[in-house]
Amino acid sequence: MSRALVLNASYEPLSVVAQRRALVLVLAEKAEVILESDDRFRSERLDLAVPSVVRLLYYVKVPFFRTGGLSRRGVFARDEYRCQYCGCYADSIDHVQPKSRGGTHSWENVVAACRRCNIAKRDRLLSETHMRLLRPPAEPPRSAWVASAVGHVPQDWLPYLGSSSEVA
């Protein structure tokens, strides 16, 4: 089933839910449809467009900034499934400064890597190899949790998530 983006009353992204849940929010008059998808829900008496983006009619106070925790899926999404050493398809993650050498398990030290580069680097520092990073690792932007939640962010959602460069 497809997903729908839920926005707060202030248009900031809150969560990603199933389209059926988004439709229930609209029917219960808790949200309004901002953007419809091409799909339709049909019943005996109703024929409704399926929402792709909904906005809550009341403001929900969020006590924390929503960020995606460090995860394998999050690293791959941030690095666009590309090895940060050679640019090939990545199938593993690598600690730039190995944990055996005091490296941390943090956004700034973990990158996506292909198996060949990961094996070639082993537990060495970059200065001890001929390898270079294509771009330095950094914590993804606040809205990157959406990409991690759905895998691929629909183009229609980008205006509500900030610039496309912010979404991993």
Side-chain angles (χ1 to χ4, degrees), residues 66-77:
R66 177 95 187 234
T67 59
L70 177 60
S71 67
R72 183 180 179 90
R73 178 189 280 185
V75 171
F76 285 139

Side-chain angles (χ1 to χ4, degrees), residues 84-86 125-135:
Q84 294 304 294
Y85 299 114
C86 69
L125 299 172
L126 282 178
S127 60
E128 298 169 354
T129 68
H130 67 282
M131 304 168 88
R132 300 290 170 255
L133 285 170
L134 297 178
R135 65 178 180 205

Side-chain angles (χ1 to χ4, degrees), residues 76-95:
F76 285 139
R78 178 196 66 190
D79 295 342
E80 300 170 350
Y81 291 86
R82 295 283 161 216
C83 175
Q84 294 304 294
Y85 299 114
C86 69
C88 297
Y89 178 78
D91 54 5
S92 64
I93 61 170
D94 179 57
H95 291 84

Side-chain angles (χ1 to χ4, degrees), residues 4-67:
L5 178 65
V6 177
L7 304 174
N8 210 342
S10 60
Y11 285 90
E12 65 181 321
L14 278 182
S15 66
V16 177
V17 297
Q19 284 182 331
R20 171 169 268 174
R21 174 68 180 137
L23 189 61
V24 168
L25 288 170
V26 171
L27 291 174
E29 297 180 358
K30 294 181 179 182
E32 67 177 339
V33 177
I34 300 295
L35 186 66
E36 296 176 347
S37 70
D38 295 333
D39 299 330
R40 304 209 52 89
F41 271 117
R42 292 184 173 89
S43 71
E44 181 181 352
R45 295 187 179 134
L46 291 175
D47 182 13
L48 303 168
V50 176
S52 178
V53 178
V54 297
R55 183 180 73 92
L56 296 178
L57 297 177
Y58 51 90
Y59 183 80
V60 175
K61 184 178 178 187
V62 182
F64 58 90
F65 290 115
R66 177 95 187 234
T67 59

